[in-house]
């Protein structure tokens, strides 16, 4: 899910590829026999009865990525490895749920330190934490704690995470940020990112361009605002380009002559466009 400067890569894509090659060896692992029986039963019921059955990933929905190996979980059984901790046993009891995976023994101090070394977020350069299913406060608290540690990240993807406000987060070296398919309603809710060059806010709920001027002091070159209500404002493109002097591309389309303000157009009366 991230790549540190030391070369450690915990990308979900790579994990899925490596795990898929091990599917044939599933029966040779230390997986609990009862789990295998129930897993096969779910597949059999889904094939024979035609009734929708729970997906295998439902069993592991509260596991964080570093616990996958100890529970013999395959990458193909998860939509995306999680980076946040699951609810406590008490919270599960109040929800009327039972822990689906048995709790392991309490970790020693050395094991806790090794786990922290695995999560070397401070040195990560490229991070993809998309599709994290952040529906509950306990998930969001852990997730925001990780974001605060990304002090060297240059490329960050946070797609489809139900995010609403990152104004308390600072990403001092981030040049590319993708936070599409979230719940942002204002530019004021964006993180502090002085080095940003490429920003995607597609499929959010930003109604007004108020606050976009805060990005004018950056070197933002490309911006995506597709499927936001502000896209339907009159002179939408001209307003965005007039607020962001360094912007070159908006919604995948380079700056056109009609995107200049009236005063700028008068400065180039003989301008022609070759498409």
């Amino acid at each position: 899910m991230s790549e540190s400067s030391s070369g450690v890569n915990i990308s979900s894509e790579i994990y899925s590829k490596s795990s898929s090659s091990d599917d044939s060896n599933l029966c040779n692992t230390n997986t609990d026999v009862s789990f295998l029986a129930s897993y096969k039963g779910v597949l059999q019921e889904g094939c024979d009865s035609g009734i929708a059955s729970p997906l295998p990933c439902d069993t592991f929905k509260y596991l964080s990525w570093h616990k996958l190996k100890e529970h013999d979980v395959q990458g193909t059984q998860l939509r995306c490895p999680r980076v946040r901790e699951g609810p406590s046993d008490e919270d599960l009891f109040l929800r009327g749920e039972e822990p689906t995976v048995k709790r392991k023994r309490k970790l020693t101090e050395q094991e806790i330190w090794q786990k922290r070394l695995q999560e070397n977020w401070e040195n990560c350069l490229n991070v993809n934490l998309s599709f994290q299913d952040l529906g509950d406060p306990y998930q969001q608290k852990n997730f925001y704690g990780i974001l605060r540690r990304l002090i060297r990240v240059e490329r960050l993807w946070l797609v489809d995470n139900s995010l609403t406000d990152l104004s308390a987060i600072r990403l001092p070296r981030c040049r590319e940020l993708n936070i599409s398919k979230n719940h942002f309603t204002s530019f004021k809710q964006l993180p502090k990112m002085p080095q940003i060059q490429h920003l995607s806010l597609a499929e959010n709920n930003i109604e007004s361009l108020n606050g976009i001027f805060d990005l004018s002091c950056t070197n933002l070159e490309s911006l995506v605002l597709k499927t936001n209500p502000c896209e339907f404002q009159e002179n939408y493109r001209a307003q965005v380009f007039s607020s962001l002097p360094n912007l070159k591309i908006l919604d995948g389309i380079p700056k056109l002559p009609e995107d200049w303000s009236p005063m700028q157009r008068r400065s180039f009366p003989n301008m022609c466009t070759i498409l």
Side-chain angles (χ1 to χ4, degrees):
M1 300 173 61
S2 63
E3 183 177 345
S4 69
S5 57
S6 61
V8 177
N9 193 306
I10 45 178
S11 168
S12 58
E13 295 179 2
I14 295 178
Y15 184 85
S16 298
K17 291 179 181 178
S18 62
S19 61
S20 60
S21 63
D22 295 335
D23 286 344
S24 59
N25 298 324
L26 182 61
C27 295
N28 295 328
T29 64
N30 295 325
T31 307
D32 185 78
V33 176
S34 61
F35 165 72
L36 283 176
S38 61
Y39 174 67
K40 292 178 180 178
V42 168
L43 294 180
Q44 188 67 28
E45 179 184 351
C47 294
D48 295 344
S49 64
I51 301 175
S53 303
L55 294 174
C57 61
D58 289 346
T59 305
F60 311 107
K61 61 184 177 182
Y62 295 131
L63 278 185
S64 52
W65 66 269
H66 48 72
K67 294 182 180 178
L68 300 181
K69 184 177 180 181
E70 64 186 69
H71 290 288
D72 295 323
V73 182
Q74 304 298 317
T76 52
Q77 293 174 296
L78 294 173
R79 181 186 181 191
C80 185
R82 306 302 184 197
V83 298
R84 78 294 189 274
E85 296 290 339
S88 63
D89 290 340
E90 181 180 356
D91 288 336
L92 288 174
F93 176 78
L94 294 175
R95 295 163 179 245
E97 301 181 46
E98 293 183 2
T100 52
V101 178
K102 293 181 180 180
R103 300 282 178 174
K104 295 288 185 179
R105 60 177 175 79
K106 188 175 181 179
L107 298 178
T108 64
E109 290 186 6
Q110 182 179 1
E111 289 171 329
I112 293 175
W113 177 248
Q114 289 176 347
K115 172 186 171 182
R116 181 167 180 82
L117 290 178
Q118 285 181 300
E119 297 187 355
N120 188 16
W121 300 112
E122 286 79 5
N123 290 318
C124 292
L125 301 179
N126 301 291
V127 181
N128 188 344
L129 299 179
S130 302
F131 312 112
Q132 288 299 307
D133 192 17
L134 303 174
D136 291 335
Y138 74 88
Q139 298 166 331
Q140 296 174 10
K141 180 180 179 181
N142 181 254
F143 188 77
Y144 280 84
I146 291 174
L147 294 183
R148 291 188 180 93
R149 295 173 58 185
L150 298 176
I151 57 176
R152 292 183 177 86
V153 70
E154 297 179 358
R155 184 173 182 266
L156 178 61
W157 282 47
L158 303 173
V159 179
D160 196 3
N161 280 329
S162 301
L163 299 173
T164 58
D165 192 347
L166 293 179
S167 58
I169 303 298
R170 181 173 177 80
L171 304 169
R173 297 189 181 182
C174 186
R175 296 198 301 264
E176 178 181 340
L177 177 64
N178 188 339
I179 46 178
S180 58
K181 296 184 180 180
N182 282 286
H183 301 156
F184 292 98
T185 59
S186 168
F187 290 97
K188 296 290 186 181
Q189 298 167 339
L190 299 182
K192 311 297 187 296
M193 38 190 180
Q195 303 297 325
I196 193 67
Q197 295 178 355
H198 309 283
L199 174 62
S200 177
L201 281 162
E203 297 186 52
N204 278 275
N205 193 30
I206 299 177
E207 297 184 358
S208 170
L209 294 176
N210 293 336
I212 194 174
F213 188 75
D214 293 342
L215 295 171
S216 62
C217 58
T218 69
N219 293 319
L220 186 64
E221 297 179 4
S222 66
L223 174 65
V224 180
L225 291 172
K226 289 182 178 179
T227 324
N228 279 276
C230 64
E231 184 185 12
F232 301 100
Q233 289 189 14
E234 187 177 359
N235 297 322
Y236 153 70
R237 289 182 60 86
Q239 288 186 61
V240 173
F241 279 109
S242 64
S243 301
L244 304 174
N246 297 319
L247 193 66
K248 299 177 181 178
I249 302 174
L250 176 60
D251 297 334
I253 302 175
K255 190 174 184 179
L256 302 173
E258 53 266 32
D259 297 328
W260 295 84
S261 65
M263 183 175 297
Q264 290 172 322
R265 281 184 230 168
R266 285 196 293 270
S267 303
F268 304 98
N270 299 321
M271 179 184 294
C272 64
T273 304
I274 300 177
L275 299 177

